[in-house]
Amino acid sequence: TGDMDRNSEKKLIETYDIRKIQVLVAGHHGSSNSTGEALLTQTMPDTVIISAGKHNPYGHPSEALLARLNAFGCKVLRTDQQGTILYRR
């Protein structure tokens, strides 16, 4: 999702037939304006990875996003807490 905001995410799910996924990388380093409810409802990810620097000046990941992910029951992995995250299938 890169730097997509919620409007871009909405266009993405309206344009493509996206189904349930196992892993989603949160948009824009865990900003409150990305990885919105529409995207989470469409994809229902088991795990969400947030790439954010430790003690970054933007406060990423946002508390709003973390609460949203918790409400969807997502396991959250964060580079600011766990360092490099490798995903293997």
Side-chain angles (χ1 to χ4, degrees):
T1 54
D3 286 336
M4 287 184 162
D5 60 14
R6 290 184 199 179
N7 289 331
S8 298
E9 292 171 356
K10 183 178 178 191
K11 289 178 188 175
L12 177 72
I13 61 178
E14 288 173 349
T15 304
Y16 298 99
D17 183 24
I18 300 174
R19 300 172 192 265
K20 184 178 179 349
I21 59 175
Q22 291 178 323
V23 177
L24 174 69
V25 177
H28 202 74
H29 310 287
S31 164
S32 62
N33 296 320
S34 61
T35 317
E37 288 184 10
L39 182 64
L40 292 170
T41 298
Q42 184 73 25
T43 59
M44 294 301 292
D46 299 318
T47 303
V48 175
I49 298 172
I50 301 173
S51 178
K54 194 171 194 173
H55 306 299
N56 68 80
Y58 305 101
H60 295 152
S62 73
E63 291 299 321
L65 173 64
L66 295 173
R68 198 162 43 249
L69 298 176
N70 184 53
F72 276 84
C74 301
K75 176 180 179 181
V76 177
L77 302 174
R78 300 170 47 169
T79 60
D80 63 323
Q81 293 181 341
Q82 295 156 304
T84 301
I85 297 169
L86 299 175
Y87 173 73
R88 295 184 182 144
R89 298 186 338 155

Coordinates of all heavy atoms in Angstrom, one line a residue:
T1 N 0.8 -1.2 0.0 CA 0.0 0.0 0.0 C 0.9 1.3 0.0 O 0.3 2.3 -0.2 CB -0.9 0.0 1.2 OG1 -0.2 -0.2 2.4 CG2 -2.0 -1.1 1.1
G2 N 2.1 1.1 0.3 CA 3.0 2.3 0.2 C 2.5 3.5 1.0 O 2.2 3.4 2.1
D3 N 2.4 4.6 0.3 CA 2.0 5.9 0.9 C 0.5 6.2 0.6 O 0.1 7.3 0.6 CB 2.8 7.0 0.4 CG 4.2 7.0 1.1 OD1 4.3 6.4 2.2 OD2 5.1 7.6 0.5
M4 N -0.3 5.1 0.3 CA -1.7 5.3 0.0 C -2.4 5.9 1.3 O -2.2 5.4 2.4 CB -2.4 4.0 -0.4 CG -2.0 3.5 -1.7 SD -3.0 2.0 -2.0 CE -2.9 1.9 -3.8
D5 N -3.3 6.8 1.0 CA -4.3 7.2 2.0 C -5.6 6.5 1.9 O -5.7 5.6 1.0 CB -4.5 8.8 2.0 CG -5.1 9.2 0.7 OD1 -5.6 8.4 -0.1 OD2 -5.1 10.4 0.4
R6 N -6.5 6.7 2.7 CA -7.8 6.0 2.7 C -8.5 6.1 1.3 O -9.1 5.2 0.9 CB -8.7 6.4 3.8 CG -8.2 5.9 5.2 CD -9.1 6.3 6.2 NE -8.5 6.2 7.5 CZ -9.1 6.5 8.6 NH1 -10.3 6.9 8.7 NH2 -8.4 6.4 9.8
N7 N -8.4 7.3 0.7 CA -9.1 7.5 -0.6 C -8.5 6.6 -1.6 O -9.2 6.0 -2.5 CB -9.1 9.0 -1.0 CG -10.0 9.8 -0.2 OD1 -11.0 9.4 0.4 ND2 -9.6 11.1 0.0
S8 N -7.2 6.5 -1.6 CA -6.5 5.7 -2.6 C -6.7 4.2 -2.3 O -6.9 3.4 -3.3 CB -4.9 5.9 -2.5 OG -4.7 7.3 -2.9
E9 N -6.8 3.8 -1.1 CA -7.2 2.5 -0.7 C -8.6 2.1 -1.2 O -8.8 1.0 -1.8 CB -7.1 2.3 0.8 CG -5.7 2.3 1.3 CD -5.7 2.3 2.9 OE1 -6.7 2.4 3.5 OE2 -4.6 2.3 3.4
K10 N -9.5 3.1 -1.1 CA -10.8 2.8 -1.6 C -10.9 2.6 -3.1 O -11.5 1.7 -3.6 CB -11.7 4.0 -1.2 CG -13.2 3.8 -1.6 CD -14.0 5.0 -1.1 CE -15.5 4.8 -1.6 NZ -16.3 5.9 -1.5
K11 N -10.1 3.4 -3.8 CA -10.0 3.2 -5.3 C -9.4 1.9 -5.6 O -9.8 1.2 -6.6 CB -9.2 4.4 -5.9 CG -9.9 5.7 -5.9 CD -9.0 6.8 -6.5 CE -9.7 8.1 -6.3 NZ -8.8 9.2 -6.7
L12 N -8.4 1.5 -4.8 CA -7.8 0.2 -5.1 C -8.8 -1.0 -4.9 O -8.9 -1.8 -5.8 CB -6.6 0.0 -4.0 CG -5.9 -1.3 -4.1 CD1 -5.0 -1.4 -5.3 CD2 -5.1 -1.5 -2.8
I13 N -9.6 -1.0 -3.9 CA -10.5 -2.1 -3.7 C -11.7 -2.0 -4.6 O -12.3 -3.0 -4.8 CB -10.9 -2.2 -2.2 CG1 -11.6 -1.0 -1.7 CG2 -9.7 -2.6 -1.3 CD1 -12.1 -1.1 -0.2
E14 N -12.0 -0.8 -5.1 CA -13.1 -0.7 -6.1 C -12.6 -1.1 -7.5 O -13.4 -1.6 -8.3 CB -13.6 0.8 -6.2 CG -14.3 1.2 -5.0 CD -14.7 2.7 -5.0 OE1 -14.1 3.4 -5.8 OE2 -15.5 3.1 -4.1
T15 N -11.3 -1.0 -7.7 CA -10.8 -1.3 -9.0 C -10.4 -2.8 -9.2 O -10.6 -3.4 -10.3 CB -9.5 -0.5 -9.3 OG1 -9.9 0.9 -9.2 CG2 -9.0 -0.7 -10.7
Y16 N -9.9 -3.4 -8.1 CA -9.4 -4.8 -8.2 C -10.2 -5.7 -7.3 O -10.7 -5.3 -6.2 CB -7.9 -4.8 -7.8 CG -7.0 -4.0 -8.7 CD1 -6.6 -2.7 -8.4 CD2 -6.7 -4.5 -10.0 CE1 -5.9 -2.0 -9.2 CE2 -5.9 -3.7 -10.8 CZ -5.5 -2.5 -10.5 OH -4.7 -1.7 -11.3
D17 N -10.2 -6.9 -7.6 CA -10.9 -8.0 -6.9 C -10.0 -8.5 -5.8 O -9.3 -9.5 -6.0 CB -11.4 -9.1 -7.8 CG -12.2 -10.1 -7.0 OD1 -12.8 -9.8 -5.9 OD2 -12.3 -11.3 -7.5
I18 N -9.9 -7.8 -4.7 CA -8.9 -8.1 -3.6 C -9.7 -9.0 -2.6 O -10.8 -8.6 -2.1 CB -8.3 -6.9 -3.0 CG1 -7.6 -6.1 -4.0 CG2 -7.4 -7.3 -1.8 CD1 -7.0 -4.8 -3.6
R19 N -9.1 -10.1 -2.3 CA -9.8 -11.0 -1.3 C -9.0 -11.1 0.0 O -8.0 -10.3 0.1 CB -9.9 -12.4 -2.0 CG -10.7 -12.3 -3.2 CD -10.7 -13.7 -3.9 NE -11.3 -13.5 -5.3 CZ -12.5 -13.8 -5.6 NH1 -13.3 -14.2 -4.6 NH2 -13.0 -13.7 -6.8
K20 N -9.4 -11.9 0.8 CA -8.7 -12.1 2.1 C -7.2 -12.4 1.9 O -6.8 -13.2 1.0 CB -9.3 -13.2 2.9 CG -8.7 -13.4 4.3 CD -9.4 -14.5 5.1 CE -8.8 -14.7 6.4 NZ -7.6 -14.2 6.8
I21 N -6.4 -11.8 2.7 CA -4.9 -12.0 2.6 C -4.4 -12.4 4.0 O -5.0 -12.1 5.0 CB -4.2 -10.8 2.1 CG1 -4.4 -9.6 3.0 CG2 -4.6 -10.4 0.6 CD1 -3.7 -8.3 2.6
Q22 N -3.2 -13.0 4.0 CA -2.6 -13.4 5.2 C -1.8 -12.2 5.9 O -1.9 -12.0 7.1 CB -1.7 -14.6 5.0 CG -2.4 -15.8 4.7 CD -1.4 -17.0 4.5 OE1 -0.3 -16.8 3.9 NE2 -1.8 -18.1 4.9
V23 N -1.0 -11.5 5.0 CA -0.2 -10.4 5.5 C -0.4 -9.2 4.8 O -0.4 -9.2 3.5 CB 1.3 -10.9 5.4 CG1 2.2 -9.8 5.9 CG2 1.6 -12.1 6.2
L24 N -0.5 -8.1 5.5 CA -0.6 -6.7 4.9 C 0.4 -5.8 5.5 O 0.6 -5.8 6.7 CB -2.0 -6.1 5.2 CG -2.3 -4.7 4.7 CD1 -2.3 -4.6 3.2 CD2 -3.6 -4.2 5.3
V25 N 1.1 -5.1 4.7 CA 2.1 -4.1 5.2 C 1.2 -2.8 5.3 O 0.7 -2.3 4.3 CB 3.3 -3.9 4.2 CG1 4.2 -2.7 4.7 CG2 4.0 -5.2 4.1
A26 N 1.2 -2.2 6.5 CA 0.4 -1.0 6.7 C 0.9 0.1 5.9 O 2.1 0.2 5.7 CB 0.5 -0.6 8.2
G27 N 0.0 0.9 5.4 CA 0.4 2.1 4.6 C 1.0 3.2 5.4 O 0.8 3.4 6.6
H28 N 1.9 3.9 4.7 CA 2.5 5.2 5.2 C 3.0 5.0 6.7 O 2.7 5.9 7.5 CB 1.5 6.3 5.1 CG 2.2 7.6 5.1 ND1 2.9 8.1 4.0 CD2 2.3 8.6 6.1 CE1 3.4 9.3 4.3 NE2 3.1 9.6 5.5
H29 N 3.8 4.0 6.9 CA 4.5 3.8 8.2 C 3.5 3.8 9.4 O 4.0 4.1 10.5 CB 5.5 4.9 8.4 CG 6.4 5.0 7.2 ND1 7.4 4.1 6.9 CD2 6.5 6.0 6.3 CE1 8.0 4.5 5.8 NE2 7.5 5.6 5.4
G30 N 2.3 3.4 9.2 CA 1.3 3.3 10.3 C 0.6 4.7 10.6 O 0.2 4.9 11.7
S31 N 0.5 5.5 9.6 CA -0.2 6.8 9.8 C -1.7 6.5 10.1 O -2.3 5.5 9.7 CB -0.1 7.6 8.5 OG -1.0 8.6 8.4
S32 N -2.3 7.4 10.8 CA -3.7 7.3 11.1 C -4.6 7.4 9.8 O -5.7 7.0 9.8 CB -4.2 8.4 12.1 OG -4.0 9.7 11.6
N33 N -4.0 8.0 8.8 CA -4.8 8.3 7.5 C -4.7 7.1 6.5 O -5.1 7.3 5.4 CB -4.3 9.6 6.9 CG -4.6 10.7 7.7 OD1 -5.6 10.8 8.4 ND2 -3.7 11.7 7.8
S34 N -4.1 6.0 6.9 CA -4.0 4.9 6.0 C -4.4 3.6 6.7 O -4.6 3.6 7.9 CB -2.5 4.8 5.4 OG -1.6 4.6 6.5
T35 N -4.4 2.5 5.9 CA -4.9 1.2 6.4 C -6.2 1.4 7.1 O -6.4 1.1 8.3 CB -3.8 0.6 7.3 OG1 -2.5 0.8 6.7 CG2 -4.1 -0.9 7.5
G36 N -7.1 1.9 6.3 CA -8.5 2.2 6.8 C -9.4 1.0 6.9 O -9.1 -0.1 6.5
E37 N -10.5 1.2 7.5 CA -11.5 0.2 7.7 C -12.0 -0.5 6.4 O -12.1 -1.7 6.4 CB -12.7 0.7 8.5 CG -12.4 1.0 9.9 CD -13.6 1.5 10.7 OE1 -14.8 1.3 10.2 OE2 -13.4 1.9 11.9
A38 N -12.1 0.2 5.4 CA -12.6 -0.4 4.1 C -11.5 -1.4 3.6 O -11.9 -2.5 3.2 CB -12.8 0.7 3.1
L39 N -10.3 -1.0 3.7 CA -9.2 -1.9 3.2 C -9.1 -3.2 4.2 O -9.0 -4.3 3.7 CB -7.9 -1.3 3.2 CG -6.7 -2.1 2.7 CD1 -6.9 -2.5 1.3 CD2 -5.4 -1.4 2.9
L40 N -9.2 -2.9 5.5 CA -9.2 -4.0 6.4 C -10.4 -5.0 6.3 O -10.3 -6.2 6.3 CB -9.1 -3.5 7.8 CG -7.8 -2.8 8.2 CD1 -7.8 -2.1 9.5 CD2 -6.6 -3.8 8.1
T41 N -11.6 -4.4 6.0 CA -12.8 -5.2 5.8 C -12.7 -6.1 4.6 O -13.0 -7.2 4.6 CB -14.0 -4.3 5.7 OG1 -14.2 -3.6 6.9 CG2 -15.3 -5.1 5.4
Q42 N -12.1 -5.5 3.5 CA -11.9 -6.2 2.2 C -10.9 -7.3 2.3 O -11.1 -8.4 1.8 CB -11.6 -5.2 1.1 CG -11.5 -5.9 -0.2 CD -12.8 -6.2 -0.8 OE1 -13.8 -5.6 -0.5 NE2 -12.9 -7.2 -1.7
T43 N -9.8 -7.0 3.0 CA -8.7 -8.0 3.0 C -8.6 -8.9 4.2 O -8.1 -10.0 4.1 CB -7.3 -7.2 2.9 OG1 -7.2 -6.3 4.1 CG2 -7.2 -6.4 1.6
M44 N -9.2 -8.5 5.3 CA -9.2 -9.3 6.6 C -7.8 -9.9 6.8 O -7.7 -11.2 7.0 CB -10.3 -10.3 6.5 CG -11.7 -9.7 6.5 SD -12.1 -8.7 8.0 CE -12.1 -9.9 9.3
P45 N -6.7 -9.1 6.9 CA -5.4 -9.7 7.1 C -5.3 -10.4 8.5 O -5.8 -9.9 9.5 CB -4.5 -8.6 7.0 CG -5.3 -7.4 7.4 CD -6.7 -7.7 6.9
D46 N -4.5 -11.5 8.5 CA -4.2 -12.1 9.8 C -3.1 -11.3 10.5 O -3.2 -11.2 11.7 CB -3.7 -13.6 9.5 CG -4.7 -14.5 8.9 OD1 -5.9 -14.4 9.2 OD2 -4.3 -15.2 8.0
T47 N -2.1 -10.9 9.7 CA -1.0 -10.1 10.3 C -0.8 -8.8 9.5 O -0.9 -8.8 8.3 CB 0.3 -11.0 10.2 OG1 0.1 -12.2 10.9 CG2 1.5 -10.3 10.8
V48 N -0.5 -7.8 10.3 CA -0.2 -6.5 9.7 C 1.2 -6.1 10.1 O 1.5 -6.1 11.3 CB -1.2 -5.4 10.0 CG1 -0.7 -4.0 9.5 CG2 -2.6 -5.7 9.5
I49 N 2.1 -5.8 9.2 CA 3.5 -5.3 9.4 C 3.5 -3.8 9.3 O 3.0 -3.3 8.3 CB 4.5 -6.0 8.5 CG1 4.4 -7.5 8.6 CG2 5.9 -5.4 8.7 CD1 5.3 -8.3 7.6
I50 N 4.1 -3.2 10.3 CA 4.2 -1.7 10.3 C 5.7 -1.4 10.3 O 6.4 -1.8 11.2 CB 3.6 -1.1 11.5 CG1 2.1 -1.4 11.6 CG2 3.8 0.4 11.5 CD1 1.4 -0.9 12.9
S51 N 6.1 -0.7 9.2 CA 7.5 -0.3 9.1 C 7.6 1.1 9.5 O 7.2 2.1 8.8 CB 7.9 -0.4 7.6 OG 9.3 0.0 7.4
A52 N 8.2 1.3 10.7 CA 8.3 2.7 11.3 C 9.6 2.7 12.1 O 10.0 1.7 12.7 CB 7.1 3.0 12.2
G53 N 10.3 3.8 12.0 CA 11.5 4.0 12.7 C 11.3 4.2 14.2 O 10.3 4.8 14.6
K54 N 12.2 3.7 15.0 CA 12.1 3.8 16.5 C 12.2 5.3 16.8 O 13.1 6.0 16.3 CB 13.1 3.0 17.2 CG 12.9 2.8 18.6 CD 13.9 1.8 19.2 CE 13.5 1.4 20.6 NZ 14.4 0.3 21.1
H55 N 11.3 5.8 17.7 CA 11.3 7.2 18.1 C 11.2 8.2 17.0 O 11.9 9.3 17.0 CB 12.6 7.5 19.0 CG 12.8 6.6 20.1 ND1 11.9 6.5 21.1 CD2 13.8 5.7 20.4 CE1 12.3 5.6 22.0 NE2 13.5 5.1 21.6
N56 N 10.5 7.9 15.9 CA 10.4 8.8 14.8 C 9.6 10.0 15.2 O 8.7 10.0 16.1 CB 9.7 8.0 13.6 CG 8.3 7.7 13.8 OD1 7.4 8.5 13.7 ND2 8.0 6.4 14.2
P57 N 9.8 11.1 14.5 CA 9.2 12.4 14.9 C 7.7 12.5 14.6 O 7.1 13.4 15.0 CB 10.0 13.5 14.2 CG 10.6 12.7 13.0 CD 10.8 11.3 13.5
Y58 N 7.2 11.6 13.8 CA 5.8 11.6 13.4 C 4.9 10.9 14.3 O 3.6 10.9 14.2 CB 5.7 11.1 12.0 CG 6.6 11.8 11.0 CD1 7.8 11.2 10.6 CD2 6.2 13.1 10.5 CE1 8.6 11.9 9.7 CE2 7.1 13.7 9.7 CZ 8.3 13.2 9.3 OH 9.1 13.8 8.4
G59 N 5.4 10.1 15.3 CA 4.6 9.3 16.2 C 4.0 8.1 15.5 O 3.0 7.6 16.0
H60 N 4.6 7.6 14.5 CA 4.1 6.4 13.8 C 4.6 5.2 14.5 O 5.7 5.2 15.0 CB 4.5 6.3 12.4 CG 4.0 7.4 11.5 ND1 4.6 7.9 10.4 CD2 2.8 8.1 11.6 CE1 3.9 8.8 9.8 NE2 2.8 9.0 10.6
P61 N 3.8 4.2 14.7 CA 2.4 4.1 14.2 C 1.5 4.8 15.1 O 1.7 4.9 16.3 CB 2.1 2.6 14.2 CG 3.0 2.0 15.3 CD 4.2 2.9 15.3
S62 N 0.4 5.3 14.5 CA -0.6 6.1 15.3 C -1.4 5.2 16.2 O -1.6 4.0 15.9 CB -1.5 6.8 14.4 OG -2.4 6.0 13.8
E63 N -1.8 5.7 17.3 CA -2.7 5.0 18.3 C -4.0 4.6 17.6 O -4.6 3.6 17.8 CB -3.0 5.8 19.5 CG -1.7 5.9 20.4 CD -1.2 4.6 20.9 OE1 -2.0 3.7 21.2 OE2 0.1 4.5 20.9
A64 N -4.5 5.5 16.7 CA -5.8 5.2 16.0 C -5.6 4.0 15.1 O -6.5 3.1 15.1 CB -6.2 6.4 15.1
L65 N -4.5 3.9 14.4 CA -4.3 2.7 13.6 C -4.2 1.4 14.4 O -4.8 0.4 14.1 CB -3.0 2.8 12.7 CG -2.7 1.5 11.9 CD1 -3.8 1.2 10.9 CD2 -1.4 1.6 11.3
L66 N -3.4 1.5 15.5 CA -3.2 0.3 16.4 C -4.6 -0.1 16.9 O -4.8 -1.3 17.0 CB -2.2 0.6 17.5 CG -0.8 0.9 17.0 CD1 0.1 1.4 18.2 CD2 -0.2 -0.3 16.3
A67 N -5.4 0.8 17.3 CA -6.8 0.5 17.8 C -7.6 -0.2 16.7 O -8.3 -1.2 17.0 CB -7.5 1.7 18.3
R68 N -7.5 0.3 15.5 CA -8.2 -0.2 14.3 C -7.8 -1.7 14.1 O -8.6 -2.6 13.9 CB -8.0 0.7 13.1 CG -9.0 0.5 12.0 CD -9.0 1.7 11.0 NE -7.7 2.2 10.6 CZ -7.3 3.4 10.9 NH1 -8.0 4.2 11.7 NH2 -6.2 3.9 10.5
L69 N -6.5 -1.9 14.1 CA -6.0 -3.2 13.9 C -6.4 -4.2 15.0 O -6.7 -5.3 14.7 CB -4.4 -3.2 13.7 CG -3.9 -2.4 12.6 CD1 -2.4 -2.4 12.6 CD2 -4.4 -2.9 11.2
N70 N -6.4 -3.7 16.2 CA -6.8 -4.5 17.3 C -8.3 -4.9 17.2 O -8.7 -6.0 17.4 CB -6.6 -3.8 18.6 CG -7.0 -4.6 19.8 OD1 -6.5 -5.7 20.0 ND2 -7.8 -4.0 20.7
A71 N -9.1 -3.9 16.7 CA -10.6 -4.2 16.5 C -10.8 -5.3 15.5 O -11.8 -6.0 15.5 CB -11.3 -2.9 16.2
F72 N -9.9 -5.3 14.5 CA -10.0 -6.3 13.4 C -9.3 -7.7 13.8 O -9.3 -8.6 13.0 CB -9.5 -5.8 12.1 CG -10.4 -5.0 11.3 CD1 -10.6 -3.6 11.6 CD2 -11.2 -5.5 10.3 CE1 -11.5 -2.9 10.9 CE2 -12.2 -4.8 9.6 CZ -12.3 -3.4 9.9
G73 N -8.7 -7.7 15.0 CA -8.1 -8.9 15.4 C -6.8 -9.3 14.7 O -6.4 -10.5 14.7
C74 N -6.1 -8.3 14.2 CA -4.9 -8.5 13.5 C -3.7 -8.7 14.4 O -3.6 -7.9 15.4 CB -4.6 -7.3 12.6 SG -5.8 -7.0 11.3
K75 N -2.8 -9.6 14.1 CA -1.5 -9.7 14.8 C -0.7 -8.6 14.2 O -0.7 -8.4 13.0 CB -0.9 -11.0 14.6 CG 0.5 -11.1 15.1 CD 1.1 -12.5 14.9 CE 2.5 -12.6 15.4 NZ 3.1 -13.9 15.2
V76 N 0.0 -7.8 15.1 CA 0.8 -6.6 14.6 C 2.2 -6.9 14.8 O 2.6 -7.2 16.0 CB 0.3 -5.3 15.3 CG1 1.2 -4.2 14.9 CG2 -1.2 -5.1 15.0
L77 N 3.0 -6.7 13.8 CA 4.5 -6.8 13.9 C 5.0 -5.4 13.5 O 4.6 -4.8 12.5 CB 5.1 -7.8 12.9 CG 4.6 -9.3 13.1 CD1 5.1 -10.2 12.1 CD2 5.0 -9.8 14.5
R78 N 6.0 -4.9 14.3 CA 6.4 -3.5 14.2 C 7.9 -3.4 14.1 O 8.6 -3.9 15.0 CB 5.9 -2.6 15.3 CG 4.5 -2.6 15.5 CD 4.0 -1.9 16.7 NE 4.7 -0.7 17.1 CZ 4.4 0.2 18.0 NH1 3.3 -0.1 18.8 NH2 5.1 1.3 18.2
T79 N 8.5 -2.8 13.1 CA 9.9 -2.7 13.0 C 10.5 -1.8 14.1 O 11.7 -1.9 14.4 CB 10.4 -2.2 11.6 OG1 9.8 -0.9 11.4 CG2 10.0 -3.1 10.5
D80 N 9.7 -0.8 14.6 CA 10.3 0.0 15.6 C 10.4 -0.7 16.9 O 11.2 -0.3 17.8 CB 9.4 1.3 15.8 CG 8.0 0.9 16.3 OD1 7.4 -0.1 15.8 OD2 7.4 1.7 17.1
Q81 N 9.8 -1.8 17.1 CA 9.9 -2.6 18.3 C 10.7 -3.9 18.1 O 11.4 -4.4 19.0 CB 8.5 -3.0 18.8 CG 7.7 -1.8 19.3 CD 6.4 -2.2 19.9 OE1 5.9 -3.3 19.6 NE2 5.8 -1.4 20.7
Q82 N 10.6 -4.5 16.9 CA 11.1 -5.8 16.7 C 12.3 -5.8 15.7 O 12.9 -6.8 15.4 CB 10.0 -6.8 16.2 CG 9.0 -7.0 17.2 CD 7.6 -7.4 16.7 OE1 7.1 -6.7 15.8 NE2 7.1 -8.5 17.1
G83 N 12.6 -4.7 15.1 CA 13.7 -4.6 14.1 C 13.2 -5.2 12.8 O 12.0 -5.2 12.5
T84 N 14.2 -5.7 12.0 CA 13.9 -6.3 10.7 C 12.9 -7.5 10.8 O 13.0 -8.3 11.7 CB 15.1 -6.8 10.0 OG1 16.0 -5.7 9.9 CG2 14.9 -7.4 8.7
I85 N 11.9 -7.4 10.0 CA 10.9 -8.5 10.0 C 11.0 -9.2 8.6 O 10.9 -8.6 7.6 CB 9.4 -7.9 10.2 CG1 9.4 -7.3 11.5 CG2 8.4 -9.0 10.0 CD1 8.1 -6.4 11.8
L86 N 11.1 -10.5 8.7 CA 11.2 -11.3 7.5 C 9.9 -12.2 7.4 O 9.6 -12.8 8.4 CB 12.4 -12.3 7.5 CG 13.8 -11.6 7.5 CD1 14.9 -12.6 7.6 CD2 14.0 -10.8 6.3
Y87 N 9.3 -12.2 6.3 CA 8.1 -13.1 6.1 C 8.5 -14.2 5.1 O 8.9 -13.9 4.0 CB 6.9 -12.3 5.6 CG 5.7 -13.1 5.2 CD1 5.0 -13.7 6.2 CD2 5.4 -13.4 3.9 CE1 3.9 -14.5 5.9 CE2 4.3 -14.2 3.5 CZ 3.6 -14.7 4.5 OH 2.5 -15.5 4.2
R88 N 8.2 -15.4 5.5 CA 8.5 -16.5 4.6 C 7.2 -17.4 4.6 O 6.6 -17.6 5.6 CB 9.6 -17.4 5.2 CG 10.9 -16.7 5.2 CD 12.0 -17.5 5.6 NE 13.3 -16.8 5.6 CZ 14.2 -16.9 6.5 NH1 14.1 -17.8 7.5 NH2 15.3 -16.2 6.5
R89 N 6.9 -17.8 3.3 CA 5.7 -18.7 3.2 C 6.2 -20.1 3.2 O 7.2 -20.5 2.9 CB 5.1 -18.5 1.8 CG 4.5 -17.1 1.7 CD 3.7 -16.8 0.5 NE 3.9 -17.7 -0.7 CZ 3.0 -17.8 -1.6 NH1 1.8 -17.2 -1.4 NH2 3.1 -18.6 -2.6

